[in-house]
Amino acid sequence: MSGRLAIIGLGPGNEAQVTPEASRAVEQAAFFYGYKPYVDRLDLRPGQTRIASDNREELARAKEALEKAVKGHSVAVVSGGDPGVFAMAAAVCEAIESGPEEWKALDIEIVPGITAMLAVAARIGAPLGHDFCAISLSDNLKPWDLIELRLLAAAGAGFVVALYNPISKSRPWQLGRAFETLSAILPGTVPVVFGRAAGRPDERMQVCLLADAKPEMADMATCIIVGSTETRIIKRGEKPALVYTPRAATRPK
């Protein structure tokens, strides 16, 4: 079997943040499967082909790519950010686990990328300087009550929390509920970073306190970082503030 499948992370959207390893993997592939905004970012040469699909078709996309690779082709599945963080690497693994034996025999390469929370954190300082976690607010693949339990557990344990998939037209209320849930544990003085489109021309970074955080401050292109009680804001006059979490932590009260 000569086919192979690469699962490639394209980073948050800035070409300078695409790793050399990811660029090499793109050079080597002939067929590219992914959500349309991600495959549209590829600068392909003649003979390379895009196969775009909707954002909610991850498993079907993974199966189609595996079928193409089994036929002997060099195939890539592309994701924004890192493919292993709320992205296509897990979908491909899920498809392989339940699929035919020939899928398990394929050469599989997972190529990491810069994920949104890292890009946002670098723009604003070092809010992830101590223990942190990432939680997706999308309840498409898990129930909302489980998301709330995880938010409460993370806040109660003193984690900085990166919120992915915070809000969309089909999910307009979850982010407001998340802020309410976190506010049951955290004081209103905890810093919150709204990082939209980090590294892209339409980038927007905004820092506020949890008490002032509102759902309308985010969209689907936003990654939100909610600090812990240890997280600090350094004001620098006319320069943008720095947000950081010290590397030494105390026990949550």
Side-chain angles (χ1 to χ4, degrees):
M1 182 180 300
S2 59
R4 63 186 300 273
L5 178 64
I7 310 163
I8 306 171
L10 298 177
N14 184 337
E15 288 186 9
Q17 294 174 330
V18 178
T19 69
E21 183 182 13
S23 295
R24 285 193 297 271
V26 170
E27 281 291 317
Q28 294 167 2
F31 296 91
F32 297 84
Y33 292 80
Y35 179 39
K36 188 177 187 304
Y38 300 149
V39 294
D40 284 349
R41 286 168 49 186
L42 298 168
D43 184 14
L44 301 183
R45 64 179 185 273
Q48 292 180 310
T49 303
R50 295 178 177 86
I51 301 96
S53 51
D54 186 76
N55 198 29
R56 294 193 178 190
E57 298 178 4
E58 289 92 346
L59 195 55
R61 180 188 307 145
K63 292 177 178 179
E64 187 176 349
L66 287 161
E67 281 293 339
K68 193 72 171 180
V70 160
K71 293 175 182 177
H73 298 286
S74 181
V75 177
V77 174
V78 297
S79 292
D82 182 278
V85 180
F86 305 122
M88 284 303 301
V92 173
C93 289
E94 182 180 350
I96 291 172
E97 182 181 29
S98 60
E101 287 300 313
E102 57 188 359
W103 289 1
K104 297 181 176 68
L106 281 168
D107 288 332
I108 305 290
E109 179 186 16
I110 299 173
V111 182
I114 298 172
T115 189
M117 65 180 177
L118 300 182
V120 171
R123 282 288 189 267
I124 204 70
L128 308 179
H130 201 62
D131 296 339
F132 64 90
C133 67
I135 297 175
S136 171
L137 294 189
S138 173
D139 56 355
N140 291 331
L141 298 175
K142 62 179 182 288
W144 178 255
D145 59 348
L146 177 58
I147 296 174
E148 287 191 321
L149 284 173
R150 290 176 174 175
L151 290 169
L152 289 169
F159 285 101
V160 172
V161 182
L163 299 177
Y164 278 71
N165 305 313
I167 197 167
S168 69
K169 290 181 180 179
S170 63
R171 297 183 293 100
W173 57 268
Q174 285 88 340
L175 180 55
R177 185 74 62 82
F179 287 147
E180 292 174 4
T181 301
L182 292 169
S183 296
I185 302 291
L186 298 171
T189 53
V190 162
V192 178
V193 178
F194 290 82
R196 185 188 185 281
R200 303 208 295 266
D202 55 341
E203 174 185 303
R204 185 177 68 248
M205 297 290 150
Q206 186 174 0
V207 179
C208 69
L209 303 181
L210 180 58
D212 301 320
K214 301 291 189 295
E216 55 266 27
M217 298 164 70
D219 61 14
M220 196 58 181
T222 307
C223 181
I224 300 168
I225 299 177
V226 180
S228 71
T229 54
E230 305 285 340
T231 305
R232 307 282 186 264
I233 299 176
I234 304 174
K235 295 183 178 180
R236 304 192 297 156
E238 294 182 359
K239 291 185 178 295
L242 292 174
V243 179
Y244 84 106
T245 304
R247 291 183 295 166
T250 60
R251 183 182 296 274
K253 296 180 181 180

